[in-house]
């Protein structure tokens, strides 16, 4: 029986075998080809770092004006330099590679675990004072035990249904199911009616107690991006260049980019790592063209619509540092975004998903402040006077480059779309969180980038 990680590792090994046979019989056995990496997010930088360690000359091309991609730390104005995350948030207990890199770069981790309050149907229940029904808790333990004995065929079978229907079919009652949807949709970025039952179940059955929401990097998660960029060499990273064409001929690949002033610039290499989200991959002209299977996968995979609304407050009116709260209101999920950074001031992030995120993103700051205040009112009353400035908002659903926060594997997609998108395209290897077991996490992006680099390095 394969875990998700083993399933992906097996697929990677199969691709590596194809590469090995080519290298043994090709002229490039005695050389280390130059590599171009598309994307200066964590996947691209991790790939570039490992390739340079193996002696390859590397150039990283990034469309944004900054590096980091969906790792996006932000320093709040007027809040004593409080740092919040507008993008990737958590380092998990089981995320071994990113924790190794943090140790290597001297980046300490801060505990980022929370105890969750609940607002449900107008009632506030503090952490420890609400739970699923006893009947469901018993049934859930049985399901986890059964998962340990699932065959690969069993896992592929449950991939063909959605998480909501799976839970309903296995005895989850209405109240429990409504609360589970509120909680789990914060993980996946959409209602659990749209999520593969396998992708969801495996995340619980194969993760740590806190579902990998354990730590973050002191001073901001972007510090690991900066450390990797320093290691790769800033001179080897170019920003403001959007890849528009990738043409392969013989043992060479040419990347043509659009510059910020509307011109073009081209780069040639012997290998290419494409560490871009699927919408950006789809926008590139590929010669030879991508396979029909790959094109299908690119068009099939959706990304989570998530908005983060970070509101600064003059005082911490919430009861504890490890405060978070799930609600059935527009604000959806709140957590202490500046945990451990200040004794007095603080900020709460409202983290909304799906259609709610779309609505919130289209409105102005006054509307967003109202949403935050109204969502929290059953627990804290009127907190508008404690707001110390306008919220900082970022909506990933409209992000120009990713069109979403992270990949959302829907019904029947883990065992079909994932393998289709991982396949090599000639001299091109693909990477990104959407191709990783720890999908949606920084760990997954790093794993995927390093997997691609290792295949190229042989």
């Amino acid at each position: 029986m394969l875990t998700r990680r083993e399933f992906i590792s097996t697929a990677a090994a199969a691709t590596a075998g194809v590469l090995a046979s080519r290298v043994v019989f090709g002229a490039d056995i005695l050389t280390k080809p130059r590599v171009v990496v598309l994307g200066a997010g964590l996947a691209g930088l991790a790939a570039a770092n490992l390739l340079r360690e193996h002696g390859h000359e590397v150039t990283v091309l990034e469309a944004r004006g900054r590096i980091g991609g969906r790792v996006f730390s932000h320093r709040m104005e007027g809040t004593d330099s409080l740092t919040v995350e507008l993008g990737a948030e958590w380092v998990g207990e089981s995320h071994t590679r990113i924790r190794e890199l943090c140790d290597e770069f001297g980046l300490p981790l801060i505990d980022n675990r929370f105890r969750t309050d609940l607002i449900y149907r107008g009632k506030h229940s503090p952490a420890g004072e609400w739970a699923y029904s006893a009947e469901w808790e018993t049934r859930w333990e049985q399901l986890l035990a059964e998962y340990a004995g699932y065959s690969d065929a069993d896992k592929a079978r449950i991939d063909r249904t959605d998480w909501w229907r799976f839970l309903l079919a296995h005895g989850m009652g209405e109240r429990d199911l409504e609360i589970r949807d509120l909680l789990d949709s914060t993980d996946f970025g959409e209602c659990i009616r749209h999520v593969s039952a396998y992708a969801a179940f495996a995340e619980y059955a194969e993760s740590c107690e806190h579902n990998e929401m354990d730590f973050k990097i002191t001073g901001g998660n972007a510090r690991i991006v900066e450390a990797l960029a320093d290691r790769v060499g800033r001179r080897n990273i170019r920003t403001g260049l959007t890849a528009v064409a990738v043409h392969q001929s013989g043992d060479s690949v040419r990347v043509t980019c659009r510059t910020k002033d509307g011109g073009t610039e081209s780069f040639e290499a012997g290998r290419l790592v494409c560490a871009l989200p699927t919408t950006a991959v789809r926008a590139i002209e590929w010669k030879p063209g991508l396979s029909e299977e790959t094109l299908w996968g690119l068009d099939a995979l959706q990304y989570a619509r998530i908005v983060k609304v970070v509101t600064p407050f003059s005082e911490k009116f919430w009861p504890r540092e490890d405060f978070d709260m799930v609600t059935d209101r527009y604000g959806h999920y709140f957590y202490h975004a500046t945990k451990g950074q200040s004794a007095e001031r603080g900020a709460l992030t409202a983290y909304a998903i799906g259609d709610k995120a779309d609505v919130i993103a289209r409105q102005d700051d006054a509307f967003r402040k109202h949403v935050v205040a109204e969502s929290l009112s059953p627990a804290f009353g009127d907190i508008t006077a404690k707001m110390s400035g306008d919220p900082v908002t970022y909506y990933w659903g409209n992000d120009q480059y990713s069109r979403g926060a992270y990949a959302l594997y829907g019904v029947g997609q883990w065992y079909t779309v994932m393998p289709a998108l991982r396949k090599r395209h000639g001299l091109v290897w693909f990477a990104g969180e959407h191709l990783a077991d720890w999908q949606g996490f920084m760990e997954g992006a790093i794993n995927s980038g390093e997997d691609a680099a290792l295949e190229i390095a042989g």
Side-chain angles (χ1 to χ4, degrees), residues 13 162 441 457:
D162 65 77
F441 286 103

Side-chain angles (χ1 to χ4, degrees), residues 4 140 163 184 188 192 195-205 211:
R4 290 194 305 176
W140 179 238
W163 188 222
D184 285 5
F188 299 106
I192 62 174
V195 177
S196 157
Y198 170 67
F201 201 2
E203 184 165 315
Y204 279 103
N211 205 24

Side-chain angles (χ1 to χ4, degrees), residues 201-213:
F201 201 2
E203 184 165 315
Y204 279 103
E206 299 176 13
S207 296
C208 69
E209 177 186 356
H210 293 276
N211 205 24
E212 308 306 336
M213 298 167 65

